[in-house]
Structure formats: C-alpha cells, structure tokens
Amino acid sequence: MKLAYWMYAGPAHIGTLRIVSSFKNVHAIMHAPLGDDYFNVMRSMLERERNFTPVTTSVVDRHVLARGSQDKIVNNINRKDKEETPDLIVLTPTCTSSILQEDLENFVERASMESTADVLLADVNHYRVNELEAADRTLEQIVRFYLEKAKKENQLCLEKTEKPSVNIIGITNLGFHHQHDCRELKKLFADLDIQINVIMPETAAVTDLKYLTRAWFNIIPYREIGLLTAQYLKKEYGMSYIDINPIGLIETVRFLTTIQKCLNQSINCIESKDLVLNNIQIFLKNTWFNNDYNKQICNPIGKKTIVFGSSTHAASLTKILTKEMGIHVLCSGTYCVYDKDWFFEQVLHFCNKILITEDHTKIGDFIAKSEPNAILGTQMERHLGKRLNIPCGVISAPVHIQNFPLSYKPFIGFEGIKHICDLIYNCFTFGISHSLLSIFEQKQINTTKINQINENIDLIWDIEAQNELKKIPGFVRGRIQRNIEILAREKNINLINVEVLYALKEIVADN
Amino acid sequence: MTITNSTEISFECETGNYHTFCPISCVAWLYQKIEDSFFLVIGTKTCGYFLQNSMGVMIFSEPRYAMAELEEADISAQLKDYEELKRLCLKIKKDRNPSVIFWIGTCTTEIIKMDLEGMAPKLESEIDIPIVVARANGLDYAFTQGEDTVLAAIAQRCCEKITNLKENYNIFYSFINFGKKKINASVDEQKQVNHSPLILFGSLPEPIIRQLTLELKKQQIKISGWLPSKRYIELPILKEGGFVCSVHPYLSRTATVLIRKGKCKLINAPFPIGPDGTKAWIEKICSALDVTPIGLDEREKQIWESLEEYTQLIKGKTVFFMGDNLLETSLARFLIRCGMIVYEIGIPYMDKRFQAAELALLQKTCLETGVPIPTIVEKPDNHNQINRIMELRPDLVITGMAHANPLEARGINTKWSVEFIFEQIHGFVNAKNILKLITRPLLRNQKLKALGWQNF
C-alpha cells in the first residue's frame, strides 16, 4: 500500500481509451464498475469534444460479482455493434475488473462470432503499467492485429509510394498540444515535399492501417507513445523510424537533417537545407534574442530554473534552456520512471541534478530548497510555484483545460520554438514585474483602508454578523459588505445582526 | 413515450448503462464539512485518478484526504492489510493529527474482500483515533449515495454512543463546548416551544445551516444537532424517540440506521429545495413536533414574487433529467411548480419509501399545475435517453459533462448536473440559485440565437 495524493500518469485503461477513442469509428467497452467512465468527462471537457466519446461501460455490479458477467459483456458488445456499427470494438478491463479474473478473452471470441466489427481485448496489466505505457502497447496491439489480418487476406500494400512519404505515429487525444503539433508537422512535411501516408491513431481509421507499410519511413514525435509500434514495423517490415523529438531549434534541425540522410540513402530528392536556413533567419529576426531592450532588462541568461515533466518534454526543454538560451537548469526530472535510462542519457550534461520520481513532494522540496527564478513543469509544479511565489510555465501533461488552447500553440517545429520562447520569456518577466508590483501595492492598501473606516461609522456589525461576513470568500466579501451596508442605510438600520444580514443578503444576492 | 395522461406517477427501470460520478467523490465535500477529519480512500490508481481530476483545484490545497493505493502485492495478499493500514494511519496521525479517520472502501476492497469493518476497531484501539468505515463503492452506489454511506456509518457511531458512553459523552461535550457559542446560542430559549428533540441529517455548507436554523427558529423550533456536525467530536447525541429529518433525497440508508439503531422517528417530508419544498419541509416538521406554523404562506409567496423574473423565462419550457445525482425528483418538482414541463426524470436509484412525501408533492404539483406527470426512469440507459432527447428536443437537458458538449453541438441546451451538488440550493433563500443555474444556458443560447449557429 502506498499513500498517494497526486499522480502524474493515470491508470492503464486511460491510455488504452486514449488510443481507442483517437481512431475513427472504433468503440471501447469498459468492463468496470459504475463511475469508472470518468474518461468521457475528461475528453468532452478538456478537448471540448463535439461528438459523444465512443466509450461505454459494461457495468460490474453486485450481480456480476456474485455470478460473473455471463452474457452481459457479449450482449453489450453486440448491442454496440448494431447501434454504432464500428470497425473495431476494444474490450477494456480496469484495475477493478482485472482482479475478477474472468475469462474476457472468451467473451471477446464469442462476441466476435456475431458482430460485424472486429473485437479485441486490450492486453495490458493494470498493476504493472501506467497510462503512457498502456497507450504505447494498445497502439502496437491494434496495428499488429490489422497488419496480420491484411496479410492473411492478402491485402497488405507492401509497395512504397511513388514519392517519399511518412507515417506520423503517436498523435492522440488528450495529448499535450498534440493537435497543434500535428498541424505543424504536416506543414513541415509539406515544405519538404514529403507526402503524409498515415497519421495515427488520431484521425486514422483502422481500415487505413493496411496502407501503413507504403510509407518510406516512420516518425515518432513523442517518446512515450508510438515507439513499440515503430519497432514492430521495423522488425516485421524493415521500415526505418526517426525518434528525434523535433522540439527546439537544434533538435528540429537535427530532425530534418536525419530525415534527409534517411531519404538520400534511397533516392536524392529533397533539399532541406534551404528550409532550415530560411526558418532560422526568420526566427532570429523576429524574436527577443536580438532585442536590445530585452537584453538589458529581462535577459534570462544565467537565471536558474527547474524542469519537470514527461520524458519527451522535460528532456527537450532542458536542452533548449541550456543550449539555446543559456539558462542554468538546476534540476531536470521526469515522472516516466519506466524509461529512466533514456532520460538520463538525454539530459546528463545539461543540468546539475537529475530527478526521476513519481512523488511530487520530492520535486516540491527541491524547488523550495533551491529557489529557482522560474519553474517549467506540469500543473502540479505550477501550483507549487504559486505557493512559493515562483512563476511556472506548463510544459507537459497532466493537463487542465487551459492546456488545450484554441489558438495555434505547437511545441514542435519552427512555430513551436516561437511558442516555447514566449512561454519561457513570459515566465521570467512575470517574476520580475510581480515583485515590482508588490512594492507599489503596499503603498496603496493604506489609503483604501482609511476610506472604508470612514464609511462605516454610522453602522454597527455585531460580532456574530461579523463572523458570518468573514465566511464569505475574500474576493466577493467587500462587494457584498458594501451592498448590504448601502441597503441597511436605505432602510435605516443601524445594527446589523445575523438575521438582518440574511434578510439583506436575500435582496442583494442578485446584483 | 415518456408522457402519459395518468394521474399516478409511473416508474420504469432501464439497463443501468449511465454516466455518473463514483461515490468516493463524496470525500470532496465531506472533508471540507467535517473539519477535524481525514479521509483515506483505500483503492487503486483508478480511484485516485478520478478524485484528482474531479476535484479540480481543490487537490492543490493540501486536502485532508489521501489514497491508500493498493499495489499488486496487496491484491495477491502478499502483504498484510492490517500492517499496511496501520503504517499509513500512523503516518496520517503524525502528519495531520485528525480526530477521526474515515476509511472509504472501494470496489477493489469489496472484490478482494478486505475486512475493513473487522480491522477498524482493532486498529482504532491500537493507534487511539476513531476509525469509521464507509463502503462507498461503484458496485453498489452512485455519486451522492457516497455521502449516504459515510453518514450511515457516523449514525451507527452515534447509536453506539447512546448505549455505551452516554454519560461520559455528555460531560465531555459540556466541557468541550464550555465558553463557546453554540449555533443557536442567540436563540432566546424562553421563547421556544417545548418540543421533542430534533436532529437534522445531511451535509450542508455552514451558511445554509444557519439559514435553515433561522427558518425553524421563526417557528420556535430548536435544532438539537446536525449529522454531520462541523467537527467529528461534536457529533449529535441521539435520543430514543427523538425526531430526525433529512435535507437531502439521497440519505435513505442513514435514515434506516437512525430509525432502526437509533430508535428515532423519521419525519418523512419533501426536501427543502425550492420555496414549495422548503415550506412543505417546515410544515411537516411543525406537524410532527406539534407546532403551529406561522407566516409560512406569506414567506413562500414573497419568495415566489422575488423569483418572478426567472420564472417568466422558463414558463412552458421543457426539461429532461438524464439522472445522475438523486436530486432529480426534488428539482423536477420545483421546476414544474415554476411552470416548466418535465419530460423525464432519470434517477440512479429511487427509494419510494424514503422519498414518499417528495413523490406525493410531485404528483400534487403536477395535478395542480395541469402538467402531465413525468415518468421516473430508474437506472437509466444513456444511449436510449439520447435517442429520446433527439426525438423530443427538450428546451433543456440536465446532464453530466460527458454528454453536455456533444448535446450542445447538436443544438440542445444543457445544464451540467453536478453544479446542483456544489451550489447552494436549499431553503427559501437559495431558490434563486437554482433558477439562475437553470436559466443561464437558456439565456446564453438565446443571445447567440441571432447568429444562426444552432444547427450543426
């Protein structure tokens, strides 16, 4: 047993559901108790999704506990098959249902005999893997299933496309800025004159998967999701993959040159050098790097910071901060403990300390002790920063609704680096302006207080009413007090007690 | 279809495939309510993830709750539950020093049959902190019923205290409360009618408690205690033959414990939601305590008048409750009184006995306003409901967040049902809050109507 208040990566089934609901026309059926379908709320709320999330529950209740699911799961699968006619239904166990040790494989087999949809059982151990690992596995499982199926039916397209083409693997819903990154990648490949073969799982249909092998190569923009699939495709079909995360100027350039190298081996057809130079020139011209004012006032060079997040984003940001901006990274860390070797290798030379942990209090303690000028982390670090009065930029999941901006904010590619610069720059300037503001504010408070006292002279609040007033949240208390006092004067009331308070509050509540 | 012309309420039961919150969500409001408590949810990552996400920013304010996250070794019984729980509870005691620790049992503890009720008394005496066990799991309960399981467990404690420690506790309380003002300290004791003791149950924020206390004080009724109290050590003392009354429609288990174990008499009243409900609630309490109500009609009339600008907006509009929090019957009854037409009342669970007075008032309201009596659909099936909604196209659907955005995108106004749990809606004063919630989406979409973006 572990005492836990906060977790960075969710439970396994969330990962599976993210993959399943990213595909077009695929339905997930959770084998779970009532209330475990919180995924639907998150997707609808965070992604502001316009469609019903294709996830339903085959509810585990007392009856299931006593007698087993029996026909319930099979009926639910076949019912969904008729209602929604999906291409694929994925039966998803949860932590709870997996200890029931029902033979779900058997249900899947029985259901698939009747259904027109394919039926799969998500193959993840709920006590050994987290959201990200599960997502990685489920994606590979689905790809493997459809490639093998296509092979059996002799429908696999092994012939490569005429022009160079690429598969983008690992774009999912509820991913941190994935939608924007995806658009940026599309633009990047359009500029390079490389066709996009399949983007998956987001926007892909499972029926597209048999065309995967037509691409010349694969890219995995994020370390966490897609690697297993890429490895499988390499092993089975000899497809090479690029797993550089194109975040930051240097890494984007490395990403592009690697693509070029990769393609030039087979055919010499593109020239990315112009693209790179062009973009860097535009970038340098537009940014604050060259602005004299900023150089003098708010130059973050040499400032101290702490980075924490998913392995992709934490590693990339650490490199950007040290190599591209000259900021001192005191500590770089990730919660992807299962992949710690990779992370260690990535940031080894770019920070004083490496922290690989799932425990938010360890990062909190380090932040409190080392007092950085700014933090780049997740929502949790943002709140830690708030408490310690240190500005924080959010660079990684876990996410809130404000991490799903409507405006175009990729992290990847040339547009991404502009966004990252804004983020980092704003963090540091915010810290400065905040401290300046607090100096000015102190003077103002004194004058406003005097005004209030003058106004209050003819009115008396008895102690109970005062206590009641104190219970009103601070940000509206002043307004409510003022309204009540105005009303009391109108009604010629001098003493405000609880009863009067409530009577008046009823009247002013609307305003 | 769902509308019938019968004068009786018809009940249906569907498949139970619906979205709702897990009952462990009750810790979110109960830890705030019971200030000296600590809630330990014994479950898996799934439970933790749900709480972390559903509690929103609360999670960052060092809440007095934590997960005892079960790992593989716990499931396969390689670790001893008792030792593990002891270790965690000692840590909680050291770090937070609460007056009580609540163990919230989850689906997983049910399935692996972890004997929480058996372990609690033993550990309680060993670490010297009361441990109260509530099984708020998704196998048996939905959303607000979580509070019911916790309050039922607390009620059980109150009942044990009567038999065991009654005298000691009385002395203890008078000591604790010495020099401290009680809730109704300002009440002029002489003015009050001498009636049987009354205890109200249901968790409400402090301002509403004060408002309801004042309303009853106007009828010269004194509340002897609340379950739950602000602090665990101030739990009310039940008296055999005393009266109890609920403020929420979802507390049927707590009521059962109070009746059977506490030997209390339950005042079966409609719930104090909306001015009509509040009036009926007070009337029932008055009649049970043999007090003649004063000025209630006037008070109700006055509240209805103040609501007029809102009731004008919703008069004749139709509404559909998908059902996820058990407040549905009371809210529907109030909205019908406001002039709305309710197509369907979805509800997770309906205790017809506990809600008897509320159901009778619903029926009466429908007959008086000449509105067809809506069907109550227990354990609804969301898929079927969506089909019915698309067919009926109600003016407003009250539903969870999973369906809200997709329905809005299909041109149907929605109100997020969970807000009724966290907004102040009880009593005369707060009726306006309910209508504000109801009219907000209608007003917003009315303003956007001119843009012609409703049909997608």
Side-chain angles (χ1 to χ4, degrees):
Chain A
M1 250 177 246
K2 194 168 79 179
L3 207 55
Y5 298 88
W6 170 263
M7 63 182 87
Y8 284 102
H13 71 271
I14 298 286
T16 299
L17 295 181
R18 272 177 63 187
I19 297 295
V20 170
S21 60
S22 291
F23 278 112
K24 266 190 233 155
N25 206 27
V26 177
H27 205 98
I29 292 188
M30 289 170 71
H31 184 227
L34 199 65
D36 270 5
D37 53 9
Y38 192 70
F39 178 79
N40 297 39
V41 177
M42 285 178 63
R43 174 137 193 265
S44 175
M45 216 157 73
L46 298 176
E47 295 261 25
R48 302 171 177 100
E49 183 54 58
R50 305 169 52 82
N51 284 315
F52 292 102
T53 306
V55 176
T56 39
T57 316
S58 174
V59 180
V60 175
D61 56 15
R62 275 286 150 191
H63 296 291
V64 172
L65 214 56
R67 303 175 301 143
S69 292
Q70 297 188 339
D71 290 332
K72 197 173 186 180
I73 295 179
V74 178
N75 291 343
N76 277 327
I77 292 176
N78 289 328
R79 181 184 160 188
K80 266 303 139 201
D81 183 50
K82 286 196 192 77
E83 283 170 359
E84 315 267 339
T85 55
D87 296 320
L88 168 70
I89 294 174
V90 179
L91 181 61
T92 313
T94 53
C95 307
T96 314
S97 72
S98 64
I99 22 177
L100 286 173
Q101 300 196 316
E102 286 195 272
D103 190 0
L104 298 180
E105 197 71 63
N106 171 36
F107 293 140
V108 164
E109 237 166 73
R110 270 171 54 202
S112 60
M113 284 193 287
E114 249 185 72
S115 67
T116 30
D118 297 310
V119 190
L120 275 179
L121 172 66
D123 182 22
V124 284
N125 182 324
H126 289 264
Y127 289 89
R128 293 196 192 157
V129 296
N130 68 17
E131 171 187 350
L132 298 169
E133 293 167 280
D136 203 9
R137 274 160 213 241
T138 305
L139 184 58
E140 194 246 17
Q141 191 191 356
I142 293 174
V143 168
R144 184 190 290 264
F145 176 81
Y146 277 100
L147 288 189
E148 277 170 11
K149 190 183 171 197
K151 210 171 175 182
K152 228 182 277 166
E153 292 168 354
N154 247 340
Q155 284 189 325
L156 200 60
C157 312
L158 284 171
E159 200 184 316
K160 298 285 169 201
T161 53
E162 210 173 295
K163 281 170 109 188
S165 63
V166 59
N167 296 324
I168 302 174
I169 301 175
I171 308 286
T172 67
N173 68 44
L174 291 175
F176 187 73
H177 292 246
H178 278 202
Q179 308 291 347
H180 310 287
D181 285 350
C182 185
R183 193 172 132 196
E184 184 63 18
L185 281 170
K186 279 194 215 163
K187 185 178 174 296
L188 215 55
F189 285 116
D191 288 346
L192 289 168
D193 206 18
I194 294 174
Q195 279 178 12
I196 290 170
N197 189 43
V198 175
I199 298 173
M200 68 163 196
E202 188 82 347
T203 73
V206 282
T207 43
D208 296 340
L209 296 181
K210 59 173 176 281
Y211 305 118
L212 269 179
T213 42
R214 298 194 69 199
W216 290 30
F217 67 107
N218 296 319
I219 63 152
I220 312 140
Y222 310 108
R223 174 78 191 166
E224 295 82 12
I225 300 174
L227 194 59
L228 282 177
T229 311
Q231 284 165 347
Y232 165 75
L233 289 171
K234 174 154 196 177
K235 194 172 148 243
E236 291 292 317
Y237 302 97
M239 297 178 78
S240 54
Y241 65 85
I242 294 168
D243 61 352
I244 296 165
N245 315 128
I247 302 176
L249 209 50
I250 296 173
E251 289 299 291
T252 304
V253 170
R254 194 161 75 89
F255 177 74
L256 293 174
T257 46
T258 316
I259 289 173
Q260 195 172 22
K261 243 186 263 161
C262 171
L263 291 179
N264 285 352
Q265 279 172 359
S266 36
I267 185 168
N268 196 2
C269 66
I270 59 150
E271 190 58 68
S272 67
K273 214 185 280 167
D274 288 347
L275 175 73
V276 169
L277 285 175
N278 226 344
N279 267 298
I280 294 180
Q281 234 162 32
I282 295 168
F283 175 73
L284 290 176
K285 216 186 279 171
N286 286 346
T287 47
W288 50 275
F289 277 84
N290 278 5
N291 184 323
D292 275 344
Y293 166 75
N294 284 323
K295 253 188 200 164
Q296 284 162 20
I297 308 291
C298 326
N299 194 343
I301 288 177
K303 289 256 164 66
K304 293 178 294 179
T305 184
I306 283 169
V307 184
F308 192 83
S310 68
S311 43
T312 303
H313 288 94
S316 305
L317 261 293
T318 306
K319 288 183 214 163
I320 294 171
L321 289 165
T322 48
K323 291 205 280 191
E324 296 176 27
M325 303 180 113
I327 294 169
H328 187 159
V329 178
L330 291 173
C331 171
S332 172
T334 181
Y335 52 83
C336 297
V337 180
Y338 62 94
D339 196 22
K340 58 172 180 274
D341 296 341
W342 180 84
F343 186 79
F344 198 81
E345 196 188 302
Q346 294 295 308
V347 300
L348 186 57
H349 302 295
F350 305 119
C351 56
N352 294 17
K353 185 183 158 78
I354 298 172
L355 196 60
I356 297 171
T357 177
E358 288 178 293
D359 182 353
H360 75 278
T361 56
K362 285 198 179 137
I363 304 125
D365 290 346
F366 188 84
I367 292 172
K369 225 168 36 198
S370 56
E371 291 180 359
N373 301 98
I375 313 165
L376 295 164
T378 71
Q379 283 296 335
M380 187 36 115
E381 283 68 46
R382 192 169 75 85
H383 282 268
L384 286 169
K386 234 183 204 168
R387 215 174 295 156
L388 298 164
N389 239 334
I390 301 170
C392 176
V394 175
I395 54 134
S396 157
V399 279
H400 274 188
I401 189 138
Q402 62 261 43
N403 302 120
F404 288 89
L406 295 170
S407 57
Y408 187 45
K409 293 225 162 80
F411 271 75
I412 275 175
F414 294 112
E415 199 63 31
I417 185 67
K418 291 183 198 162
H419 168 220
I420 293 172
C421 281
D422 277 345
L423 186 74
I424 296 174
Y425 173 65
N426 287 345
C427 261
F428 284 102
T429 31
F430 177 76
I432 294 165
S433 55
H434 194 71
S435 51
L436 287 176
L437 206 66
S438 63
I439 297 169
F440 290 117
E441 252 178 6
Q442 255 165 10
K443 285 180 189 161
Q444 286 176 352
I445 289 167
N446 296 337
T447 51
T448 46
K449 256 187 191 160
I450 291 164
N451 288 341
Q452 273 171 358
I453 291 165
N454 283 339
E455 249 176 31
N456 277 349
I457 276 171
D458 57 332
L459 268 170
I460 301 160
W461 290 67
D462 81 351
I463 292 180
E464 249 190 304
Q466 276 179 27
N467 286 338
E468 205 56 31
L469 190 67
K470 276 182 200 150
K471 283 178 195 136
I472 298 168
F475 57 95
V476 288
R477 193 187 301 145
R479 203 181 64 208
I480 290 180
Q481 182 183 358
R482 208 161 47 242
N483 286 341
I484 286 176
E485 283 173 2
I486 291 168
L487 211 67
R489 281 197 195 92
E490 273 175 22
K491 304 205 171 216
N492 284 328
I493 298 170
N494 292 332
L495 176 79
I496 299 181
N497 59 23
V498 183
E499 266 171 84
V500 174
L501 174 64
Y502 275 118
L504 294 177
K505 209 176 139 198
E506 260 172 58
I507 307 171
V508 293
D510 306 332
N511 310 320
Chain B
M1 207 49 244
T2 45
I3 305 167
T4 54
N5 290 323
S6 149
T7 51
E8 294 296 314
I9 302 174
S10 61
F11 294 90
E12 270 173 33
C13 187
E14 282 191 301
T15 60
N17 268 320
Y18 64 101
H19 295 283
T20 184
F21 274 15
C22 175
I24 56 172
S25 51
C26 68
V27 307
W29 63 86
L30 286 176
Y31 91 78
Q32 291 188 32
K33 172 72 203 175
I34 309 171
E35 290 171 359
D36 53 351
S37 64
F38 192 95
F39 284 80
L40 184 66
V41 182
I42 304 160
T44 58
K45 251 182 177 314
T46 307
C47 313
Y49 196 66
F50 163 69
L51 277 178
Q52 168 174 328
N53 284 293
S54 61
M55 282 167 84
V57 289
M58 269 190 255
I59 201 79
F60 300 110
S61 59
E62 294 192 25
R64 290 184 319 282
Y65 107 89
M67 288 293 308
E69 200 184 301
L70 299 167
E71 291 164 298
E72 203 169 8
D74 296 303
I75 304 296
S76 53
Q78 285 162 24
L79 294 169
K80 266 191 143 172
D81 303 335
Y82 186 81
E83 293 306 319
E84 289 295 298
L85 283 169
K86 186 179 163 188
R87 184 170 59 80
L88 301 190
C89 287
L90 280 173
K91 188 166 166 21
I92 291 166
K93 186 185 177 185
K94 192 177 138 239
D95 294 350
R96 306 289 186 98
N97 194 26
S99 317
V100 59
I101 297 177
F102 286 94
W103 283 355
I104 304 295
T106 61
C107 306
T108 312
T109 56
E110 287 295 312
I111 294 171
I112 63 172
K113 298 197 165 52
M114 197 182 269
D115 182 21
L116 297 176
E117 276 95 347
M119 286 187 279
K122 213 173 134 200
L123 190 60
E124 180 173 304
S125 58
E126 202 173 336
I127 66 170
D128 202 25
I129 288 184
I131 295 173
V132 179
V133 182
R135 301 182 181 194
N137 61 67
L139 294 168
D140 301 306
Y141 306 110
F143 197 11
T144 48
Q145 287 180 291
E147 178 181 325
D148 194 18
T149 63
V150 174
L151 296 194
I154 301 178
Q156 192 89 28
R157 280 299 171 110
C158 295
C159 301
E160 283 161 19
K161 268 172 205 158
I162 307 176
T163 45
N164 299 337
L165 298 156
K166 197 170 171 183
E167 257 77 274
N168 291 351
Y169 259 81
N170 279 335
I171 297 163
F172 182 59
Y173 276 125
S174 54
F175 179 69
I176 293 260
N177 290 332
F178 180 73
K180 202 161 103 185
K181 274 195 177 178
K182 278 189 184 166
I183 287 174
N184 23 30
S186 63
V187 174
D188 190 359
E189 307 270 338
Q190 269 91 42
K191 244 171 68 184
Q192 277 186 339
V193 184
N194 207 6
H195 59 72
S196 314
L198 169 70
I199 287 173
L200 298 180
F201 59 103
S203 163
L204 285 175
E206 220 47 36
I208 305 191
I209 289 200
R210 294 190 162 236
Q211 286 159 10
L212 291 181
T213 308
L214 275 173
E215 294 296 350
L216 288 176
K217 183 188 147 195
K218 283 183 193 156
Q219 306 302 332
Q220 307 195 349
I221 291 171
K222 188 185 158 203
I223 302 168
S224 313
W226 278 84
L227 184 77
S229 44
K230 214 171 149 193
R231 317 189 108 246
Y232 181 76
I233 52 166
E234 290 166 7
L235 278 185
I237 297 154
L238 300 176
K239 285 215 177 78
E240 201 175 315
F243 284 94
V244 289
C245 189
S246 173
V247 294
H248 295 312
Y250 45 78
L251 296 176
S252 56
R253 279 169 62 87
T254 312
T256 311
V257 172
L258 291 171
I259 296 167
R260 297 216 180 126
K261 296 271 173 66
K263 306 274 187 288
C264 295
K265 284 184 252 173
L266 176 73
I267 303 173
N268 198 316
F271 302 98
I273 291 168
D276 49 340
T278 310
K279 182 190 155 207
W281 182 74
I282 296 174
E283 273 176 347
K284 281 271 181 162
I285 293 175
C286 285
S287 84
L289 299 177
D290 221 4
V291 174
T292 324
I294 329 155
L296 269 184
D297 290 330
E298 218 165 276
R299 179 91 170 117
E300 193 200 0
K301 203 174 140 232
Q302 174 202 344
I303 297 289
W304 279 116
E305 272 163 17
S306 75
L307 295 179
E308 201 148 306
E309 74 176 287
Y310 294 96
T311 48
Q312 285 304 325
L313 283 168
I314 54 174
K315 206 166 223 161
K317 293 242 162 48
T318 53
V319 62
F320 190 109
F321 285 87
M322 284 187 76
D324 65 357
N325 57 26
L326 281 96
L327 291 179
E328 291 87 0
T329 5
S330 310
L331 288 172
R333 178 258 303 147
F334 169 52
L335 293 182
I336 292 170
R337 181 57 78 185
C338 290
M340 290 187 99
I341 298 156
V342 178
Y343 281 144
E344 173 168 331
I345 304 177
I347 192 165
Y349 168 75
M350 168 57 74
D351 186 327
K352 286 183 203 161
R353 261 193 347 174
F354 182 65
Q355 295 220 31
E358 183 61 83
L359 288 170
L361 184 59
L362 171 70
Q363 191 181 6
K364 188 173 155 236
T365 307
C366 289
L367 293 175
E368 282 176 7
T369 51
V371 167
I373 299 180
T375 310
I376 294 184
V377 181
E378 222 183 325
K379 297 175 107 195
D381 184 294
N382 280 167
H383 187 270
N384 298 344
Q385 283 185 315
I386 299 285
N387 288 344
R388 292 199 285 271
I389 288 169
M390 295 321 281
E391 198 181 312
L392 294 162
R393 297 201 74 86
D395 294 310
L396 185 70
V397 174
I398 296 174
T399 181
M401 212 56 203
H403 298 301
N405 277 344
L407 281 173
E408 288 277 343
R410 280 154 188 75
I412 290 188
N413 299 324
T414 59
K415 178 73 232 152
W416 183 32
S417 54
V418 177
E419 276 189 79
F420 293 105
I421 300 295
F422 290 98
E423 182 64 70
Q424 305 191 349
I425 60 168
H426 289 73
F428 284 124
V429 187
N430 296 309
K432 199 170 277 176
N433 285 343
I434 306 175
L435 293 186
K436 273 186 192 163
L437 288 179
I438 293 286
T439 50
R440 202 177 296 147
L442 295 172
L443 282 173
R444 185 199 58 218
N445 289 353
Q446 212 169 44
K447 279 182 187 156
L448 298 177
K449 210 170 192 171
L451 295 170
W453 290 342
Q454 270 79 35
N455 298 317
F456 303 88

